[in-house]
């Protein structure tokens, strides 16, 4: 292979990776902006508690009973989702979403296994985006 062919192949791989990152960022942003907005104006139907595991229902009821936790989580999801969509402060959005995503994943592992596929997709998107923006996280990981 000539140097020009290798360079063109590397350029295409870089462009494909860049497009994949943008698509993942925007889709993840749309998901969290939509679910965050739904936490405030309830435009999507809630799942039927009769179809959920009792532990999942009890956990959701406890969050609702706090009077603030669902609103806080919805606000974080909405803000972070919008940041991901517009592509501004992406590392901050990923950091804000990390504990929400961990909770989503663990909720489906321990309390409500029916949503595990979606939870795994969200975890994969978060990890993939964190890897794509890893250079932005390095200063935070240095000991001072």
């Amino acid at each position: 292979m000539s140097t020009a062919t290798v360079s063109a192949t590397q350029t295409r791989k870089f462009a494909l990776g860049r497009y994949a990152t943008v698509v993942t960022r925007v889709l993840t942003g749309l998901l969290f902006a939509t679910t965050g907005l739904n936490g405030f104006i309830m435009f999507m139907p809630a799942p039927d508690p009769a179809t959920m595991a009792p532990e999942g229902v009890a956990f959701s009821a406890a969050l609702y009973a706090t009077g603030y936790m669902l609103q806080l989580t919805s606000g974080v999801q909405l803000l972070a989702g919008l940041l991901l969509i517009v592509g501004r402060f992406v590392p901050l959005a990923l950091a804000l979403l990390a504990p929400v995503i961990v909770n989503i994943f663990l909720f489906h592992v321990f309390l409500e296994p029916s949503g595990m596929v979606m939870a795994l997709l969200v975890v994969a998107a978060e990890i993939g985006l964190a890897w794509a923006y890893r250079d932005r996280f390095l200063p935070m990981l240095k000991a001072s």
Side-chain angles (χ1 to χ4, degrees):
M1 267 203 214
S2 70
T3 307
T5 305
V6 171
S7 178
T9 302
Q10 289 174 340
T11 301
R12 272 183 260 138
K13 285 182 181 179
F14 177 73
L16 181 62
R18 211 167 142 202
Y19 290 129
T21 299
V22 170
V23 168
T24 302
R25 177 178 55 78
V26 171
L27 289 177
T28 303
L30 286 170
L31 173 70
F32 280 105
T34 302
T35 56
L37 189 60
N38 185 62
F40 293 109
I41 60 176
M42 307 290 184
F43 55 88
M44 293 187 295
D48 182 10
T51 64
M52 295 174 61
E55 297 86 0
V57 173
F59 182 76
S60 298
L63 289 178
Y64 183 78
T66 64
Y68 73 92
M69 189 54 93
L70 289 180
Q71 293 84 355
L72 174 65
T73 305
S74 295
V76 168
Q77 289 180 36
L78 179 58
L79 173 65
L82 292 174
L83 291 174
L84 289 175
I85 291 167
V86 299
R88 301 282 298 170
F89 303 105
V90 173
L92 174 62
L94 294 173
L96 288 171
L97 285 175
V100 174
I101 290 172
V102 167
N103 190 52
I104 290 169
F105 177 71
L106 294 177
F107 175 82
H108 290 291
V109 166
F110 293 111
L111 302 175
E112 184 56 53
S114 67
M116 183 56 74
V117 172
M118 189 62 173
L120 288 171
L121 289 173
V122 170
V123 167
E126 174 81 3
I127 291 170
L129 288 170
W131 180 258
Y133 288 88
R134 65 189 176 276
D135 59 322
R136 308 285 174 85
F137 291 105
L138 287 177
M140 209 169 47
L141 301 173
K142 290 184 181 178
S144 54

